[in-house]
Amino acid sequence: MIDLNTVMAGLGDVFTLTNLLYILIGVTVGQIVGATPGLSIIMALAIAIPLTFTLDALTAVAFLISVNKGGTVGGAVPSILINVPGTPESAATALDGHPMAKKGKPLKAMKYSLYYSFFGDISSDIVLILVSAPLALIALKMGPVEITCLMILAFTVIAGLVGDSMVKGLIAATFGILLALVGLDPGIASERMVFGMLELYDGLHLTSLSIGALAMAEIVHSIVHAKREDGPATSVLLKSSAKEDRTVTFAELFANRVVAIRAFILGTLIGAIPGLGSTTAGFLSYSVTKQAAKDPESFGTGDPRGIAATETANSAVVGANLIPLLTLGIPGNIAAALLVSALIIQGVQPGPLLFQEQGRLIYGMFGAMLIANFANLFVGQFCMRFWAFVVSAPRTVIYPAAMILCTTGAYVVDGGIFAVFVMLAATFLGYVMRAYGFSIVAFIVAFILTPQLESNVVKARLITNDDPMAIFSHPIALALLAVSVASMIYLGPKKRKKSA
Amino acid sequence: MTQERIIGGCVVAFGALLLVFIIPAQVTSLPGIPTDPGLFPKATAWILVALGLVQLAFARETDDAGIGLVELGRLGLVMGTLVLTGLAMTRFGHIPAMTGLMIASVLMVFERRWYWIAVTILLLPVSCWALFEIVLERPLP
């Protein structure tokens, strides 16, 4: 499907000064955002999308992926220094990272986190590069009936795995489908729920919606809950007397190789499943490592195995979560959904055809991912001690700055003031959904997949002559439907039990 | 548990509203043909009704706190400020509108240190304008 020339040309495309510069900037921005408590990687990605509007496709994707990778590394800094995770992904890192910092080894803890993060990230990227093209080839053999069933499966799995209630997850997904139907219908171009507004004929724009529901809703939530006594966090002092308390040797890293390899496998598997993310990977890997250890009592006291388990696993998710996106066109998590938004802005439609139609871009993206890992290591190595100051940055400047970028970004990308109001409506919706436990991941993923779902349903109806029994002549579709039902039966009651 | 059941009721009501009023008025239905524009909106509305009924019948207590009265008031204040900023953007331009938003923001987050107030109000709107208008060459109002 992909010839070697395309692979080499794609990998070669990334080696331009502009691309390398954007990767470096992306990684730095990501690490700063990750190190800032109160700002999340998702927020950074949503804000960064409008900035990629004028870039070419490869530079834009390279920049966003670098922000994502940098954020995962940066998030560990406040976890270690102030016991407050910079990002939810790094929450588990605080369990052993902060005790190690309190023992007078903050730099050592941050270096452990950086190196294991690098290992997890690069290993999972290699898995992505190796498996995505063959998987896309298999996906290409699926027809509209199978693709429809696959999307139903994606909805049920995501709704079941994210949030506390499967019913609420499915309601959120259905609401996402409903909003995606606004505009002209793809069949006969008749108006659907446009309420006489010309601006709605093109439908609601993904960028405004995601900036509002993901980034702005979080900022508004922080402002609404701001208190008079909120002050900047106090960081652990970075001074360490002995050299061995500031550095990590290769022997020390190699001593935890089994933990790191197990964490990488767990992170990659979790990343490849739509709906699960870095936070789950970090905690699961920590828990598995602690259970497997001969001395579980040493965990939570500054054990490097705790840092290795969490940082390797949460970073391994970053590459692996692109597997469902690049092979099936299904964004596995919010970061992948935001990447879809950036690709759509650039006129690229994700899915199994991506390797055929945009092979050079995809291999360029793979090259950018690999370079971003080394840039992450480089920036982290030299700048980690500076990020300790970012930890105590005042939220009173951070939130307004993020708010101004979101508003201006929505205006610029989706062409005018109407997009700003769509973004504000999405902000309110995102806020309410969060407050009442509805999954925003399910909502956004459903919004993204609906046009593809609708087109495949129409094709499936034409192929089968509207005969529901025709599903029995499509064994793969039947199996996918059976897995959907099984996931609803298995995940639904389990979630209820957990929340009861 | 009551809150969860109310959510279920609201979802059923919304689904019914779609089926009875919004879809008939806003969607052209051509039943029987595979490209019927009304198929997906109607199916979505029916699914919402069904899921709402399930939520109504089987809802269990959750940790979701919902939105209290004080929070609702503050949310209204923040959202109102943002809507006014949107309106002011087209009327007065990007920098004055964003300066207003920044003044409101520092008040809402209780910032008292004058140097951070100065950075937020004076520097942020101009830096953002310069980033989009000069660096990215995207016209702003």
Side-chain angles (χ1 to χ4, degrees):
Chain A
M1 187 168 64
I2 294 287
D3 65 302
L4 197 62
N5 287 337
T6 312
V7 176
M8 296 316 290
L11 290 173
D13 283 347
V14 82
F15 286 97
T16 66
L17 192 62
T18 312
N19 287 341
L20 296 177
L21 194 68
Y22 270 96
I23 289 172
L24 200 64
I25 294 170
V27 160
T28 311
V29 168
Q31 289 197 11
I32 293 173
V33 168
T36 312
L39 286 184
S40 65
I41 303 170
I42 300 307
M43 211 191 274
L45 282 172
I47 295 170
I49 287 172
L51 306 179
T52 63
F53 194 62
T54 49
L55 305 176
D56 70 68
L58 179 57
T59 314
V61 172
F63 176 65
L64 292 174
I65 284 175
S66 305
V67 171
N68 194 8
K69 284 180 181 287
T72 316
V73 167
V77 176
S79 287
I80 291 166
L81 295 182
I82 57 172
N83 203 19
V84 173
T87 56
E89 291 80 1
S90 306
T93 309
L95 297 172
D96 272 293
H98 189 61
M100 189 184 274
K102 282 210 292 191
K103 281 180 181 172
K105 303 172 185 176
L107 274 173
K108 195 178 183 88
M110 288 200 285
K111 283 184 178 170
Y112 265 124
S113 106
L114 175 67
Y115 299 146
Y116 285 119
S117 204
F118 171 75
F119 168 72
D121 226 345
I122 202 158
S123 312
S124 110
D125 287 353
I126 291 168
V127 172
L128 167 75
I129 294 166
L130 294 177
V131 306
S132 52
L135 278 178
L137 201 63
I138 297 168
L140 272 177
K141 294 192 191 311
M142 294 202 284
V145 182
E146 286 78 11
I147 292 173
T148 304
C149 296
L150 182 73
M151 285 185 182
I152 292 169
L153 174 64
F155 290 148
T156 54
V157 170
I158 291 173
L161 290 175
V162 181
D164 289 336
S165 151
M166 183 174 219
V167 177
K168 281 188 180 176
L170 288 172
I171 291 172
T174 314
F175 206 60
I177 294 175
L178 185 73
L179 290 192
L181 297 175
V182 172
L184 295 179
D185 96 277
I188 58 166
S190 76
E191 299 163 12
R192 279 197 308 205
M193 295 179 281
V194 293
F195 299 93
M197 285 184 256
L198 277 177
E199 294 91 343
L200 284 179
Y201 274 56
D202 276 343
L204 292 165
H205 288 266
L206 174 61
T207 316
S208 304
L209 206 71
S210 49
I211 290 178
L214 299 171
M216 201 69 166
E218 211 173 309
I219 300 162
V220 169
H221 183 270
S222 306
I223 292 177
V224 165
H225 289 89
K227 290 186 174 71
R228 264 176 220 280
E229 58 270 23
D230 284 353
T234 318
S235 176
V236 168
L237 283 175
L238 284 181
K239 281 185 180 172
S240 306
S241 50
K243 195 190 169 194
E244 60 266 27
D245 289 347
R246 283 180 273 131
T247 53
V248 177
T249 61
F250 182 75
E252 284 174 311
L253 290 173
F254 196 67
N256 301 320
R257 61 190 177 279
V258 177
V259 172
I261 290 169
R262 184 171 49 214
F264 144 66
I265 295 169
L266 265 173
T268 306
L269 289 174
I270 287 173
I273 301 170
L276 294 176
S278 304
T279 315
T280 316
F283 278 106
L284 186 66
S285 173
Y286 186 85
S287 153
V288 168
T289 306
K290 193 178 172 182
Q291 278 169 14
K294 287 176 187 161
D295 52 343
E297 67 282 352
S298 71
F299 281 76
T301 60
D303 194 315
R305 286 173 297 175
I307 304 174
T310 54
E311 281 302 309
T312 309
N314 70 24
S315 295
V317 171
V318 177
N321 68 26
L322 293 181
I323 294 173
L325 176 69
L326 297 181
T327 55
L328 306 166
I330 296 171
N333 64 5
I334 288 290
L338 289 170
L339 202 61
V340 171
S341 174
L343 287 171
I344 290 171
I345 289 175
Q346 301 288 342
V348 178
Q349 184 63 47
L353 285 172
L354 208 52
F355 280 89
Q356 266 185 353
E357 292 169 354
Q358 302 282 348
R360 197 165 163 164
L361 171 68
I362 295 304
Y363 280 94
M365 186 181 94
F366 289 160
M369 289 173 84
L370 294 174
I371 294 170
N373 292 326
F374 288 97
N376 229 345
L377 190 65
F378 175 78
V379 173
Q381 184 72 26
F382 290 102
C383 301
M384 213 133 217
R385 56 180 68 233
F386 298 111
W387 302 161
F389 297 106
V390 175
V391 166
S392 13
R395 295 176 188 205
T396 47
V397 176
I398 292 162
Y399 294 140
M403 202 149 71
I404 207 169
L405 283 170
C406 284
T407 314
T408 315
Y411 181 91
V412 166
V413 172
D414 288 340
I417 202 69
F418 187 78
V420 174
F421 288 114
V422 170
M423 186 268 292
L424 291 180
T427 303
F428 183 73
L429 185 68
Y431 191 100
V432 174
M433 284 177 75
R434 191 179 302 240
Y436 289 100
F438 288 93
S439 161
I440 298 175
V441 183
F443 168 72
I444 295 282
V445 169
F447 183 85
I448 291 170
L449 292 182
T450 299
Q452 223 181 321
L453 176 70
E454 193 173 9
S455 133
N456 279 294
V457 166
V458 170
K459 285 181 200 161
R461 289 181 70 189
L462 287 168
I463 289 170
T464 60
N465 288 324
D466 258 352
D467 176 16
M469 292 299 137
I471 188 92
F472 291 104
S473 54
H474 295 266
I476 295 174
L478 206 60
L480 290 168
L481 272 186
V483 178
S484 304
V485 175
S487 70
M488 284 174 83
I489 294 167
Y490 178 70
L491 296 171
K494 202 175 172 188
K495 287 281 166 186
R496 283 209 301 272
K497 239 181 270 171
K498 191 181 156 194
S499 57
Chain B
M1 187 138 90
T2 315
Q3 177 181 290
E4 293 302 303
R5 289 190 194 281
I6 291 171
I7 289 173
C10 290
V11 174
V12 173
F14 182 65
L17 182 78
L18 283 170
L19 283 169
V20 178
F21 294 109
I22 299 177
I23 294 172
Q26 295 291 329
V27 180
T28 316
S29 273
L30 298 166
I33 65 160
T35 51
D36 174 18
L39 176 72
F40 257 68
K42 280 182 200 162
T44 308
W46 278 114
I47 292 170
L48 278 177
V49 171
L51 289 171
L53 286 172
V54 173
Q55 175 74 8
L56 199 63
F58 303 108
R60 297 285 187 277
E61 203 169 331
T62 64
D63 301 330
D64 306 319
I67 301 174
L69 269 180
V70 177
E71 188 182 351
L72 191 67
R74 280 185 66 85
L75 176 64
L77 190 70
V78 178
M79 290 308 299
T81 310
L82 286 166
V83 170
L84 284 177
T85 305
L87 294 171
M89 238 168 110
T90 43
R91 205 176 172 90
F92 304 110
H94 181 265
I95 294 179
M98 290 303 159
T99 306
L101 177 65
M102 292 301 101
I103 293 170
S105 314
V106 291
L107 288 173
M108 284 186 284
V109 294
F110 309 109
E111 179 59 73
R112 287 179 196 161
R113 292 163 294 182
W114 64 268
Y115 43 93
W116 287 124
I117 293 176
V119 167
T120 310
I121 294 174
L122 302 175
L123 203 64
L124 288 182
V126 178
S127 312
C128 181
W129 178 86
L131 173 69
F132 282 94
E133 188 85 34
I134 299 168
V135 179
L136 299 173
E137 295 176 344
R138 307 302 306 170
L140 290 173

